[in-house]
Amino acid sequence: MPDYLYRGVLCEHKKAPQGPDDDYEVLLQRADHWNDIAQRAIDERARWLREANALRSATSSLPNEILATIFKFACPPIDFRKRVFCRGPDDSDGDDDDDDGYRDDDWPIPSREKEDLSYRRFPMVLGAVSNRWREVAWSTPGLWNTLAIEPTYRTVRKEATRLQFYLTNAKSFGFVLDIDLRRYNEETEFFDEESPPLLEDIITGPEKLSLEPLKAVVFGDMAKNIQTLRIAGVPESWIPDINRKALNVVDLCLSCDGHHLQSESSLVLQKFESLHHIHLVDMFPLKTSPLPSNITTICLRGVQLDDCIRTLLQCTSLVEFYVRYPRDSSTSNPIPALLQEPLIRSTMKRFGWDNSGPSNSWNSALLQMVRFPNLRYLEWTDGPRRGTPKPEVDFFSNLPPSLTSLTLFNNATTSRSYEQRAQLRRLFIHLPQIKKLTLLKCHDQYAQIIFVLLSRGPDDKCPSSPNDFVFPKLRQIVYRFLGHISRRYVDSEDGRWSESDDYYDSGETTASRNDSDAGTVTIYPKPFMEVVLWRSKIMAIPYFRLKLTECRLERVRVVWERFRGIVKGGLRLEVVEDTKLVDWEKPI
């Protein structure tokens, strides 16, 4: 019998307790004692299993260097494009080009622990196989330099210990760290030092609620090795430490709770001399002057509009710049001198702007004066309003011929669809070079307006020449339906809708929920069929592609027959529903 088990048995033969209080304490001591013995037994069993695995290992003849290489290739990566923050193109639709801009998930998103985090314990699993595998895994820094954690109030200390272990094993390798604190923030929102004693016992004590163990590791001696830092729900008290300790970060992604930061807690971007990429959500105010000259990518969401504009003015070498959901700053400050004359940003390749807020003198000046001579991709958000303001027309008229991809993000509708189509035509006629159009999180009524606009000529008449079309070079539409669905009655035979100037009265839409498949959105095919039909008839286009994400075309028999006729006429028409290509020969 092992010595620790023998001592455990002897413990059971000690003198019995004399009173109720003594009885309770002794029972707790015995429970803790046997818990320690059980844990030691588990560790002992794991050790002998590693010894057994080592004797039968098929990799015993491989050199350590080869085994380490195999481990690195087998280690599953974290797809940060599917996590809280996303920067750069989202190629989830399978395209080889990089025209989709940056994707930002709905906020807040559900826990992704099971999806993204559990398999990142892969290096720990390797170490459990055999002593040799453990030795090789523990000495391979490339296995340990990426970690994503989602701590709760119960797991803060455990996650801090794991992070310290990863940082130590990664040695001097550049480290990628993703911390999602939103669940922790929700759990501890109503807990404080004055919580009732019983409640403190339930949550394992107020000292266990503290993030200090995790904070000490993140901003400790190894902080200099962190090159990518992504923190969702970052506490305001962490901002000064980020300003002081995370100065070697190349890619910084932070989200706050949306409250106004105190001046001493503001993010001071000019301190980050190595910074290239920034993604900030609900972080305001920003101390933006001066900014490091090597920043190339900035994504701002929920940031004050004047801070967004100041950031754009400060960074002269930007390649990508996106603004979503800006906060109205209602600034009374005079328009910056840089916006008194044309502002040229020749390095800008990808630009996203949210123009849906109330009229603002700084915003108007920016749209009128900014110039991007080498722009390739534009993401545009506009709010429902009457008329087409001159700054918007000026902005679109100054866009360069190099711009071939346009994304309309989170756009809504006005009260009259005909009027809005006329407004959009006045903007889009300045972009005849557009080849790819993406509708992202747009209201379904807005999508209908776009499809009608693409299939008709001026004054909503049938087109008679290529010059009558908006985007005459358009060859691809990407529709990611993530918006609101209106109610409407649809004729299931031909998919028609009645044309009405006021869709609020008619209840028209292009989408509905499929009752037979919960969560599936069906897009009525008639609007898209009209786009393809008229462009094929007038311009004899050889190819057209529709990519649908999180939705599908309704199988309407009459419209489907028209599609088949167009395909038989020589047009190569591709419709992709998520990842599946529609087969036109398949009966419906």
Side-chain angles (χ1 to χ4, degrees):
M1 178 183 294
D3 181 62
Y4 61 87
L5 283 179
Y6 179 73
R7 292 196 303 271
V9 173
L10 290 180
C11 178
E12 292 296 322
H13 295 283
K14 290 182 178 180
K15 186 177 179 181
Q18 301 299 319
D21 293 339
D22 293 337
D23 186 29
Y24 178 74
E25 293 297 332
V26 170
L27 290 176
L28 287 181
Q29 291 175 8
R30 288 181 178 179
D32 291 340
H33 177 74
W34 282 104
N35 183 63
D36 293 340
I37 291 176
Q39 185 59 51
R40 292 180 64 181
I42 292 174
D43 294 342
E44 192 75 7
R45 177 179 180 272
R47 184 174 72 85
W48 288 112
L49 286 176
R50 289 196 300 270
E51 293 287 348
N53 288 335
L55 294 177
R56 302 181 59 185
S57 176
T59 60
S60 58
S61 61
L62 293 177
N64 288 354
E65 294 79 9
I66 299 298
L67 194 58
T69 302
I70 294 174
F71 289 167
K72 285 189 288 187
F73 275 107
C75 186
I78 296 178
D79 187 355
F80 285 112
R81 294 178 303 175
K82 295 182 179 179
R83 287 193 55 73
V84 177
F85 302 95
C86 305
R87 178 192 56 77
D90 171 27
D91 295 326
S92 58
D93 61 1
D95 292 347
D96 293 328
D97 56 13
D98 60 351
D99 292 338
D100 287 339
Y102 92 103
R103 178 183 175 191
D104 195 3
D105 288 315
D106 285 338
W107 200 272
I109 60 174
S111 167
R112 298 180 180 273
E113 185 173 3
K114 293 182 179 179
E115 177 183 347
D116 288 335
L117 309 186
S118 59
Y119 60 63
R120 282 305 306 184
R121 299 185 179 92
F122 179 75
M124 308 294 291
V125 175
L126 293 177
V129 173
S130 69
N131 289 335
R132 180 169 180 250
W133 279 35
R134 171 175 291 202
E135 177 185 348
V136 173
W138 263 234
S139 60
T140 306
L143 294 175
W144 305 90
N145 66 332
T146 302
L147 182 63
I149 58 178
E150 187 178 350
T152 66
Y153 72 85
R154 296 181 183 274
T155 63
V156 168
R157 293 179 182 273
K158 183 176 70 174
E159 297 290 10
T161 302
R162 176 146 54 113
L163 174 58
Q164 181 65 61
F165 189 69
Y166 269 67
L167 285 167
T168 302
N169 284 353
K171 298 181 172 60
S172 60
F173 271 48
F175 201 86
V176 178
L177 177 60
D178 184 303
I179 305 176
D180 189 348
L181 293 174
R182 289 171 301 157
R183 180 192 289 183
Y184 171 90
N185 293 339
E186 291 175 0
E187 292 174 339
T188 61
E189 181 179 1
F190 302 106
F191 298 148
D192 53 39
E193 296 179 355
E194 299 180 358
S195 298
L198 179 60
L199 187 58
E200 292 178 2
D201 292 338
I202 294 175
I203 62 177
T204 68
E207 71 282 355
K208 299 294 180 65
L209 292 176
S210 174
L211 282 172
E212 288 303 316
L214 184 61
K215 177 182 176 183
V217 177
V218 174
F219 304 112
D221 296 336
M222 307 296 289
K224 61 181 181 297
N225 295 333
I226 299 178
Q227 293 188 354
T228 297
L229 180 61
R230 304 153 59 91
I231 307 178
V234 58
E236 185 174 344
S237 59
W238 283 31
I239 303 298
D241 291 281
I242 294 174
N243 289 332
R244 292 193 303 266
K245 300 294 184 66
L247 300 183
N248 292 332
V249 167
V250 176
D251 191 336
L252 180 65
C253 302
L254 300 174
S255 81
C256 199
D257 294 332
H259 56 270
H260 194 284
L261 299 177
Q262 301 299 320
S263 58
E264 62 272 12
S265 300
S266 298
L267 192 65
V268 186
L269 295 177
Q270 57 263 36
K271 291 186 176 182
F272 299 84
E273 296 181 356
S274 301
L275 197 59
H276 283 79
H277 311 292
I278 307 173
H279 188 147
L280 303 178
V281 178
D282 293 333
M283 300 286 295
F284 63 93
L286 293 176
K287 295 183 179 180
T288 58
S289 178
L291 289 173
S293 59
N294 51 342
I295 295 179
T296 59
T297 303
I298 297 180
C299 306
L300 303 175
R301 173 173 173 167
V303 177
Q304 288 180 338
L305 181 60
D306 55 349
D307 281 341
C308 296
I309 295 177
R310 287 193 188 99
T311 301
L312 178 60
L313 298 181
Q314 286 287 331
C315 298
T316 59
S317 301
L318 282 175
V319 178
E320 301 181 52
F321 185 77
Y322 304 94
V323 172
R324 286 182 176 179
Y325 310 112
R327 296 176 182 269
D328 181 26
S329 54
S330 301
T331 179
S332 58
N333 296 329
I335 297 175
L338 289 175
L339 293 179
Q340 303 289 343
E341 56 186 18
L343 177 70
I344 300 176
R345 291 290 182 261
S346 58
T347 58
M348 190 75 73
K349 299 295 180 61
R350 310 168 69 83
F351 182 74
W353 194 252
D354 190 326
N355 192 54
S356 60
S359 179
N360 181 289
S361 60
W362 283 36
N363 180 65
S364 298
L366 176 69
L367 293 179
Q368 288 182 297
M369 294 300 174
V370 73
R371 304 287 188 273
F372 303 127
N374 297 306
L375 194 67
R376 296 188 313 173
Y377 169 88
L378 172 66
E379 177 185 285
W380 180 257
T381 301
D382 208 350
R385 64 190 70 193
R386 293 187 177 275
T388 309
K390 184 177 185 299
E392 296 179 16
V393 176
D394 290 343
F395 176 75
F396 274 81
S397 64
N398 289 315
L399 291 172
S402 59
L403 176 64
T404 58
S405 181
L406 172 65
T407 291
L408 301 174
F409 173 76
N410 198 37
N411 285 278
T413 54
T414 61
S415 59
R416 294 185 176 276
S417 58
Y418 174 82
E419 187 176 285
Q420 189 165 15
R421 285 199 298 270
Q423 295 170 9
L424 291 173
R425 177 176 286 275
R426 284 194 287 272
L427 298 179
F428 293 163
I429 58 173
H430 299 288
L431 304 178
Q433 72 275 23
I434 293 296
K435 297 180 180 179
K436 180 178 179 180
L437 176 66
T438 300
L439 303 178
L440 178 58
K441 291 187 180 181
C442 292
H443 193 286
D444 56 298
Q445 293 288 350
Y446 185 87
Q448 174 180 322
I449 289 172
I450 293 298
F451 280 123
V452 173
L453 179 64
L454 293 176
S455 61
R456 298 185 183 177
D459 300 323
D460 266 5
K461 297 179 179 178
C462 294
S464 58
S465 71
N467 294 330
D468 290 341
F469 287 102
V470 169
F471 308 144
K473 295 183 179 181
L474 185 68
R475 295 297 181 269
Q476 181 176 359
I477 299 176
V478 178
Y479 189 10
R480 290 179 179 153
F481 188 87
L482 298 171
H484 169 73
I485 300 178
S486 302
R487 296 179 179 179
R488 75 181 290 256
Y489 172 80
V490 181
D491 187 335
S492 60
E493 290 299 320
D494 62 5
R496 292 179 298 175
W497 69 83
S498 61
E499 275 300 309
S500 171
D501 283 343
D502 193 336
Y503 72 85
Y504 287 113
D505 291 336
S506 64
E508 293 303 319
T509 181
T510 61
S512 71
R513 292 287 180 189
N514 187 346
D515 294 335
S516 62
D517 187 2
T520 300
V521 177
T522 56
I523 305 299
Y524 296 98
K526 183 69 176 296
F528 173 64
M529 188 270 291
E530 294 284 350
V531 174
V532 176
L533 178 65
W534 282 106
R535 288 172 181 259
S536 174
K537 180 179 179 180
I538 302 298
M539 295 188 289
I541 57 176
Y543 167 81
F544 207 91
R545 187 173 191 263
L546 174 65
K547 172 68 174 69
L548 300 172
T549 301
E550 301 186 26
C551 56
R552 61 188 293 271
L553 287 181
E554 179 74 13
R555 269 42 175 184
V556 180
R557 186 176 304 278
V558 174
V559 179
W560 223 249
E561 292 299 328
R562 297 294 298 273
F563 274 134
R564 288 170 179 164
I566 296 173
V567 172
K568 290 180 180 179
L571 175 66
R572 186 160 62 94
L573 178 61
E574 291 185 2
V575 175
V576 182
E577 299 171 335
D578 287 325
T579 59
K580 187 176 181 180
L581 185 66
V582 171
D583 183 3
W584 299 113
E585 299 300 325
K586 185 177 179 179
I588 60 173

